[in-house]
Amino acid sequence: MSVIPDSAHTIRHAEPRDISRLSQLMSELCGHPISATEAAERLAMVQHSPIDQLFVFEQDDEVKGLLGFRLRENIEECSRYGEISVIVIDPLARRQGVGQALIAHAETLAEHYGCKGTWLVSGLAREEAHAFYQQLGYQINGYRFVKE
């Protein structure tokens, strides 16, 4: 399930040749620079993970979006979910269907792996993204608490 081509785009696993774009897209998501070395470390981590996958949306030989997908098991209800662990779209490619295609890809992966559904976590300040997720049928159902 690594590639979903259509006439306009391809969604494929991220590869070392994508490091420069991964660096740019992750910088956009994180709000601070992510070096090529750091992007390569993230890609290597995912490639060695039994539960994580990293995909790129490619159109006209240009990477326009990034999707992290992770399998999550829920002990509380004895189920499995697909987690959208990362999703970021190049600012110049927003509102062109890239995000919808990546989320649909995650939902297809979740179905393939026998998941009950998909979920994601989004920062409080990303209100525009929240509206987008809600348009796609995602509902707010809790809080995330973090202690560092």
Side-chain angles (χ1 to χ4, degrees):
M1 297 226 42
S2 64
V3 176
I4 295 184
D6 79 8
S7 60
H9 70 269
T10 299
I11 296 175
R12 61 171 174 78
H13 279 104
E15 301 172 358
R17 66 183 165 128
D18 301 314
I19 294 297
S20 176
R21 284 300 284 151
L22 296 180
S23 172
Q24 294 166 354
L25 290 167
M26 288 302 296
S27 295
E28 174 72 25
L29 179 66
C30 295
H32 59 83
I34 301 296
S35 71
T37 300
E38 291 170 307
E41 290 170 354
R42 285 167 166 79
L43 180 59
M45 182 186 77
V46 167
Q47 289 175 328
H48 291 96
S49 171
I51 62 170
D52 288 290
Q53 298 179 60
L54 194 60
F55 298 91
V56 295
F57 178 104
E58 187 176 60
Q59 186 175 40
D60 301 325
D61 296 320
E62 184 180 341
V63 171
K64 296 185 175 188
L66 178 63
L67 169 73
F69 179 83
R70 174 182 297 143
L71 291 175
R72 300 288 267 188
E73 293 181 340
N74 183 340
I75 295 170
E76 181 181 336
E77 61 182 30
C78 196
S79 62
R80 179 182 280 172
Y81 281 82
E83 177 187 358
I84 297 170
S85 58
V86 171
I87 187 164
V88 60
I89 313 306
D90 183 299
L92 298 176
R94 292 184 183 154
R95 292 178 176 57
Q96 297 176 22
V98 177
Q100 286 180 304
L102 287 172
I103 287 182
H105 186 70
E107 292 170 351
T108 299
L109 286 167
E111 185 177 325
H112 171 77
Y113 288 112
C115 296
K116 184 175 182 176
T118 54
W119 64 276
L120 59 92
V121 174
S122 182
L124 293 172
R126 302 195 58 189
E127 293 178 12
E128 190 174 333
H130 302 166
F132 170 69
Y133 302 141
Q134 289 174 321
Q135 287 174 351
L136 296 177
Y138 288 78
Q139 301 171 359
I140 299 170
N141 74 345
Y143 294 98
R144 176 177 70 170
F145 294 88
V146 177
K147 181 178 181 180
E148 294 187 15

Short mmCIF file of all heavy atoms in Angstrom, two decimals, residues 3 12-20 22 43 47 54-56 58:
data_model
loop_
_atom_site.label_atom_id
_atom_site.label_comp_id
_atom_site.label_asym_id
_atom_site.label_seq_id
_atom_site.Cartn_x
_atom_site.Cartn_y
_atom_site.Cartn_z
N VAL A 3 1.96 3.16 -2.69
CA VAL A 3 1.79 4.17 -3.73
C VAL A 3 0.34 4.16 -4.20
O VAL A 3 -0.21 3.12 -4.50
CB VAL A 3 2.72 3.89 -4.93
CG1 VAL A 3 2.47 4.88 -6.05
CG2 VAL A 3 4.17 3.93 -4.50
N ARG A 12 3.34 8.45 -2.13
CA ARG A 12 4.32 7.37 -2.00
C ARG A 12 5.09 7.52 -0.70
O ARG A 12 5.07 8.58 -0.07
CB ARG A 12 5.28 7.40 -3.19
CG ARG A 12 6.06 8.69 -3.31
CD ARG A 12 7.16 8.65 -4.35
NE ARG A 12 7.78 9.93 -4.53
CZ ARG A 12 8.69 10.46 -3.71
NH1 ARG A 12 9.08 9.82 -2.63
NH2 ARG A 12 9.21 11.65 -3.96
N HIS A 13 5.77 6.44 -0.31
CA HIS A 13 6.62 6.52 0.87
C HIS A 13 7.71 7.58 0.66
O HIS A 13 8.26 7.69 -0.44
CB HIS A 13 7.29 5.17 1.16
CG HIS A 13 6.40 4.22 1.87
ND1 HIS A 13 5.78 3.16 1.25
CD2 HIS A 13 6.02 4.16 3.17
CE1 HIS A 13 5.06 2.50 2.12
NE2 HIS A 13 5.19 3.08 3.30
N ALA A 14 8.01 8.32 1.70
CA ALA A 14 9.11 9.29 1.65
C ALA A 14 10.42 8.53 1.51
O ALA A 14 10.58 7.43 2.04
CB ALA A 14 9.12 10.14 2.91
N GLU A 15 11.35 9.13 0.77
CA GLU A 15 12.64 8.51 0.48
C GLU A 15 13.75 9.52 0.76
O GLU A 15 13.50 10.72 0.85
CB GLU A 15 12.70 8.10 -0.99
CG GLU A 15 11.62 7.13 -1.39
CD GLU A 15 11.56 6.88 -2.90
OE1 GLU A 15 12.35 7.49 -3.65
OE2 GLU A 15 10.72 6.08 -3.31
N PRO A 16 15.01 9.06 0.84
CA PRO A 16 16.12 9.99 1.06
C PRO A 16 16.17 11.14 0.05
O PRO A 16 16.55 12.25 0.41
CB PRO A 16 17.36 9.09 0.97
CG PRO A 16 16.86 7.76 1.46
CD PRO A 16 15.45 7.66 0.90
N ARG A 17 15.73 10.93 -1.17
CA ARG A 17 15.75 12.02 -2.16
C ARG A 17 14.79 13.16 -1.80
O ARG A 17 14.86 14.24 -2.38
CB ARG A 17 15.41 11.48 -3.55
CG ARG A 17 13.98 10.96 -3.67
CD ARG A 17 13.73 10.38 -5.06
NE ARG A 17 12.53 9.58 -5.10
CZ ARG A 17 11.56 9.74 -5.98
NH1 ARG A 17 11.66 10.67 -6.92
NH2 ARG A 17 10.50 8.97 -5.96
N ASP A 18 13.92 12.92 -0.82
CA ASP A 18 12.94 13.92 -0.40
C ASP A 18 13.41 14.77 0.78
O ASP A 18 12.68 15.65 1.24
CB ASP A 18 11.63 13.23 0.01
CG ASP A 18 11.01 12.41 -1.11
OD1 ASP A 18 10.94 12.92 -2.24
OD2 ASP A 18 10.61 11.26 -0.83
N ILE A 19 14.62 14.53 1.27
CA ILE A 19 15.10 15.17 2.50
C ILE A 19 14.94 16.70 2.47
O ILE A 19 14.46 17.30 3.43
CB ILE A 19 16.56 14.79 2.81
CG1 ILE A 19 16.67 13.30 3.13
CG2 ILE A 19 17.13 15.64 3.95
CD1 ILE A 19 15.92 12.85 4.36
N SER A 20 15.31 17.33 1.39
CA SER A 20 15.22 18.79 1.31
C SER A 20 13.78 19.26 1.51
O SER A 20 13.52 20.20 2.28
CB SER A 20 15.76 19.29 -0.02
OG SER A 20 15.59 20.68 -0.13
N LEU A 22 11.33 17.48 2.90
CA LEU A 22 10.90 17.11 4.25
C LEU A 22 11.35 18.18 5.24
O LEU A 22 10.59 18.57 6.14
CB LEU A 22 11.47 15.76 4.65
CG LEU A 22 11.03 14.54 3.84
CD1 LEU A 22 11.69 13.28 4.38
CD2 LEU A 22 9.53 14.40 3.80
N LEU A 43 13.34 10.71 9.05
CA LEU A 43 13.05 9.70 8.04
C LEU A 43 13.64 8.35 8.46
O LEU A 43 12.97 7.32 8.36
CB LEU A 43 13.58 10.12 6.67
CG LEU A 43 13.35 9.13 5.53
CD1 LEU A 43 11.86 8.84 5.34
CD2 LEU A 43 13.96 9.66 4.24
N GLN A 47 11.65 4.87 9.09
CA GLN A 47 11.98 3.68 8.30
C GLN A 47 12.32 2.49 9.18
O GLN A 47 12.19 1.35 8.74
CB GLN A 47 13.12 3.99 7.33
CG GLN A 47 12.68 4.91 6.21
CD GLN A 47 13.81 5.33 5.29
OE1 GLN A 47 14.96 5.46 5.70
NE2 GLN A 47 13.47 5.56 4.03
N LEU A 54 5.84 7.21 6.59
CA LEU A 54 5.88 8.61 6.17
C LEU A 54 5.67 8.66 4.66
O LEU A 54 6.38 7.98 3.91
CB LEU A 54 7.22 9.23 6.55
CG LEU A 54 7.34 10.75 6.50
CD1 LEU A 54 6.34 11.42 7.45
CD2 LEU A 54 8.75 11.17 6.86
N PHE A 55 4.70 9.45 4.24
CA PHE A 55 4.33 9.54 2.83
C PHE A 55 4.47 10.97 2.33
O PHE A 55 4.32 11.92 3.11
CB PHE A 55 2.87 9.11 2.63
CG PHE A 55 2.60 7.69 3.00
CD1 PHE A 55 2.20 7.36 4.29
CD2 PHE A 55 2.76 6.68 2.07
CE1 PHE A 55 1.96 6.05 4.64
CE2 PHE A 55 2.53 5.36 2.41
CZ PHE A 55 2.13 5.04 3.70
N VAL A 56 4.71 11.11 1.04
CA VAL A 56 4.70 12.42 0.40
C VAL A 56 3.64 12.42 -0.70
O VAL A 56 3.36 11.39 -1.31
CB VAL A 56 6.08 12.81 -0.19
CG1 VAL A 56 7.11 12.97 0.91
CG2 VAL A 56 6.54 11.83 -1.24
N GLU A 58 3.08 13.88 -4.23
CA GLU A 58 3.91 14.39 -5.32
C GLU A 58 3.04 14.69 -6.53
O GLU A 58 2.23 13.86 -6.94
CB GLU A 58 4.98 13.37 -5.66
CG GLU A 58 6.01 13.84 -6.64
CD GLU A 58 7.09 12.80 -6.85
OE1 GLU A 58 6.77 11.68 -7.27
OE2 GLU A 58 8.25 13.12 -6.56
#
